[in-house]
Amino acid sequence: MSSSAITKNTFAESLKRLAVIKPYDKISISDITNDCRMNRQSFYYHFQDKNELLSWIMYNDLFVYITHGVRFHNWYEKLEGFLKRMEEQKEFYSRVLQSGDGIFHDYLYDVMHAMFTFFFDNAVSKEDGTNISTEFFADFYSHGFCGVIIDWAIGGMQTTPHEVIQSMKDLALENIKIGEGFKEYL
């Protein structure tokens, strides 16, 4: 591991420790640097501010794993793995999400949107005469999935990642049934 990666990880571990005992919005750069016995100059060499550090943590802890190799056949496994990784650091992610800064939501929304756009573009043939609006569908499902995941985390992750994912899979199947039931009325 490079010295830059070691330094970034040191700051990350400090922020994780502090976020468990102090609200995220009350943590200062001084708090972080004092906790890990590093200087501010070193912090600013690697990160612009604590939000950039938080983004780095989320990307490396969670998002790198869901974004690589996700396909139609394994999205639920990837997403369940993502939730399990969150659950491993339950207190940190619950507290950071309670701060309501929006960084996590923005990251998750972008990942979900790209995934759903890919799925809708590849799962529904536009050649069969259907008029699909990929962008609208991707927006709709991305907002829904983000909301469910964030509510789950803020609520203390009371159900297992598997139960959350199973509910999302059930929703996808129910949408098919609901669509078929409404077909004659649309």
Side-chain angles (χ1 to χ4, degrees), residues 15 18 21-29 31 50 99:
L15 180 59
L18 291 168
I21 59 173
K22 188 174 188 177
Y24 175 77
D25 57 341
K26 303 290 186 206
I27 298 171
S28 67
I29 303 302
D31 292 334
K50 74 176 181 182
S99 76

Side-chain angles (χ1 to χ4, degrees), residues 78-143:
K78 288 286 202 171
L79 195 53
E80 185 172 345
F82 174 89
L83 296 180
K84 285 178 180 178
R85 291 183 72 79
M86 281 183 73
E87 189 178 48
E88 289 168 4
Q89 298 179 66
K90 178 179 185 173
E91 210 166 346
F92 171 70
Y93 282 106
S94 291
R95 287 178 172 259
V96 166
L97 287 169
Q98 288 169 1
S99 76
D101 64 14
I103 294 170
F104 181 88
H105 174 273
D106 294 346
Y107 251 83
L108 183 60
Y109 180 85
D110 289 346
V111 168
M112 289 284 137
H113 196 274
M115 183 177 74
F116 283 119
T117 298
F118 173 80
F119 292 165
F120 292 131
D121 279 345
N122 292 289
V124 179
S125 171
K126 294 178 183 175
E127 296 173 11
D128 67 1
T130 58
N131 185 9
I132 174 175
S133 175
T134 299
E135 188 69 22
F136 176 78
F137 289 171
D139 286 347
F140 181 83
Y141 282 96
S142 299
H143 282 296

